[in-house]
Structure formats: structure tokens, C-alpha cells
Amino acid sequence: MLFNLSTARFDALLSAFPRARVMVVGDLFADEYLSGEVARISREAPVLILKHRESVVYPGGAANAAANIASLDGQVQMAGLVGDDTMGPKLRAVLEGRGVGTVATLVDPARPTTTKTRISASSQQSVTQQIVRIDREERGPMTPELESALLAAIEARLPQLDALLLSDYGNGVLTPRVIAGVLALAEQHGTIVTVDSQGDLARFPGSWILTPNQPEAENVVGFPITDADSLMRAGRDLLAAAASRSMLITRGGNGMALFEADGSVTTIPAFNRSEVFDVTGAGDTVVGTLTLALAAGASFKEAIVMANVAASIVVRRFGTSVTTREELQEAWSGLLLQPDLRPA
């Protein structure tokens, strides 16, 4: 048993993942990676000319959370916006290829599909390095007509869902009207609501759990988290301000801290601190795994342990990444062999 989660219980929750039904609502975008080999310096300007090697598109933002749930064999749908451009259908196809339903993903002709294009270069004498990133996005709120259409799409599917994951990157999907509408619908149906937001956490009253990282938490409470006392104060202040059932502060190499409405506090260390290569998208993995675990019947404490295991896997990989149930099982078995992992 590790952190009050037995192997039998861990296995039972993993086995329930394929039956759990989740909808991710929020700001989806495309992570586009263009790579090439340096050919020469341009005669037009002192810049590199790259010989194009490949272009790959990965789900980003809320779409990455959905992709993580699908990779763990959960039943997942994506509700949000894409633009009326070439990247919109491409991102939808990438999601559908990973098993994510996109019927509730609407088209907004007034905005581009949010896209983050990373251009990387290499040569025979060097490794591949990112040299520039280009962002295409519109951060204004969606129109009232699209708000109504999105809420209608969510309401139509809510009776068949176990959980809603609200993923807010500030790109205009989670407007006050959409948030209020989704929370009201979820309360009517008794649906789990998890929140990953980079903005004001008080906008999601009545949610089950919010998952700010430490810098986001510090920004909201207005003071740094430097020790156990400031962590406790921050967590309790956030929980009260958000009026939610629980609050999870993710702290990178310092682990996680869960604050519940009954006053209980659970801290767990990071399960992998020695092989961290890239934390890109790790927050999406945490909230995706957490939501799927809750939808499968886990308690908050059980869900954060499973999310921590998932995060320990994806931070070993470069770029936005996902994990699988098989990898979770293998990582869990490895953790059981580490005698120094005990509840904090």
C-alpha cells in the first residue's frame, strides 16, 4: 500500500477507466512542430535557410487534456472552438485519430484555430534546437450565438457523462455565461466538474476540484509559497475563495498538496525528480488523469496519487505527451519498490 492506495484498488480503478465518460470544455489549440536541417545562410538576410524535414501537429491546451484521457482508454469528447481555416480540420482529425469525439467542437469563422508553431533546426554537428515560435490566436470572448450553441451541445450530451473538465487557457471559450451555464447543468445532473484555469479561480463556484500550479496559486493569493506554513495558508485561502469541494496545488519537484472542504490536507512528493526532461503539457496530464480517476470512482486522495504517477511518466519525454494504462501500471509497480516513498 502506498499513500493509502492498495495495489488491488489501483488495479480496480485502472480497470474502470474504459467505462468512464468525460467531456473536456475549453480552449483547444494545435501544437505544430516544423523541423529542418540548416542548409546555408540566406543571401537575402542574415538568417538560416532550413531544408524542411517534417511537420507534425499535436493536440495542445484543452485538447491535450482530452488526448491524455483517450490515451488512458477513457471515453472522451472535446467541446470548444476551432477556426474556419486549414488547421481546424487538421486538429479535429488529429483528435479523432486519437479517439476523441469532436461533435461538440464548433467552428468560429471570426477567429483562427489557436496554433503554436515551433520551428526547430539541426545540422550534422548539432542536435535539434527550437529557434522560433509563432503563435496564431484570438483571445477575445466568443459570440453570444456560439455560447448558446456550445451550451446546447454540452446539455445534449450531459446525461451520458460522468465528468466535465473545464480547461481555461484564456482564449475566449470559458466566458462567464458558459461557466455559469456548465456549472448549473452539472449541478442538475450531479456531474463531477474539475477545473484547470490560468485565471481567476473564484469564477468556478461549486466545482469539485481546481488544479492551479504553484505560480498560479501564488498569483491569486498574492504571496509566495516558501514553506509549509505559507502553503497551508495559500491552500485554505484558495479553497475559501473558490467555494469548491477541494483544491489541488501542483508544485513541480515539490509534489502536490490537496486541500478538502472538510479541512483535511494531503501532501505527496513528486514521484519522479531525477528524470525530468520537459514539463510541457504535464498540467494537462495531471488534470486529465485526475478527472478520469474521479469519473471511475476514485476519491480525491486516490485520484491525485494516480495523477502524480501519470505526471512522473510524461515529464520524461520532450514536448506535449500522453501516457497509457499499461505505463501507469508499470510505474506504480516501480514506486512500490521505493521504501522512501511514504505519506508526508
Side-chain angles (χ1 to χ4, degrees), residues 150-198:
L150 187 65
L151 286 170
I154 295 168
E155 183 174 15
R157 292 159 181 80
L158 200 55
Q160 288 77 48
L161 298 175
D162 300 304
L164 290 165
L165 192 174
L166 307 187
S167 179
D168 179 24
Y169 279 81
N171 280 56
V173 170
L174 290 174
T175 63
R177 181 186 171 197
V178 168
I179 293 171
V182 168
L183 291 175
L185 289 169
E187 185 176 4
Q188 291 173 17
H189 291 270
T191 308
I192 296 165
V193 179
T194 63
V195 178
D196 182 24
S197 175
Q198 297 183 355

Side-chain angles (χ1 to χ4, degrees), residues 69-265:
I69 293 170
S71 182
L72 290 167
D73 297 328
Q75 301 176 47
V76 60
Q77 302 176 54
M78 181 73 238
L81 298 177
V82 295
D84 186 13
D85 52 20
T86 58
M87 185 57 76
K90 188 178 297 185
L91 180 55
R92 279 177 173 237
V94 168
L95 285 169
E96 290 165 2
R98 291 172 177 247
V100 179
T102 63
V103 175
T105 300
L106 309 180
V107 176
D108 183 352
R111 71 177 67 214
T113 301
T114 301
T115 305
K116 298 183 178 182
T117 301
R118 297 164 176 87
I119 300 177
S120 300
S122 64
S123 69
Q124 293 181 349
Q125 291 79 33
S126 69
V127 297
T128 300
Q129 300 180 66
Q130 184 179 151
I131 57 175
V132 68
R133 191 179 100 178
I134 303 168
D135 287 2
R136 285 161 281 184
E137 63 181 352
E138 167 58 55
R139 299 183 70 84
M142 71 172 99
T143 64
E145 292 77 16
L146 280 169
E147 287 179 324
S148 297
L150 187 65
L151 286 170
I154 295 168
E155 183 174 15
R157 292 159 181 80
L158 200 55
Q160 288 77 48
L161 298 175
D162 300 304
L164 290 165
L165 192 174
L166 307 187
S167 179
D168 179 24
Y169 279 81
N171 280 56
V173 170
L174 290 174
T175 63
R177 181 186 171 197
V178 168
I179 293 171
V182 168
L183 291 175
L185 289 169
E187 185 176 4
Q188 291 173 17
H189 291 270
T191 308
I192 296 165
V193 179
T194 63
V195 178
D196 182 24
S197 175
Q198 297 183 355
D200 181 6
L201 303 183
R203 294 177 299 143
F204 305 91
S207 58
W208 285 46
I209 187 168
L210 295 97
T211 62
N213 60 35
Q214 182 165 314
E216 291 166 348
E218 291 172 334
N219 185 56
V220 173
V221 298
F223 58 83
I225 297 172
T226 56
D227 53 24
D229 289 341
S230 58
L231 175 62
M232 294 301 114
R233 183 157 62 99
R236 289 171 177 139
D237 287 355
L238 286 171
L239 188 60
S244 64
R245 298 190 187 190
S246 61
M247 180 73 59
L248 177 68
I249 300 177
T250 59
R251 309 183 63 217
N254 292 317
M256 300 178 176
L258 173 70
F259 300 82
E260 297 184 67
D262 62 5
S264 64
V265 179

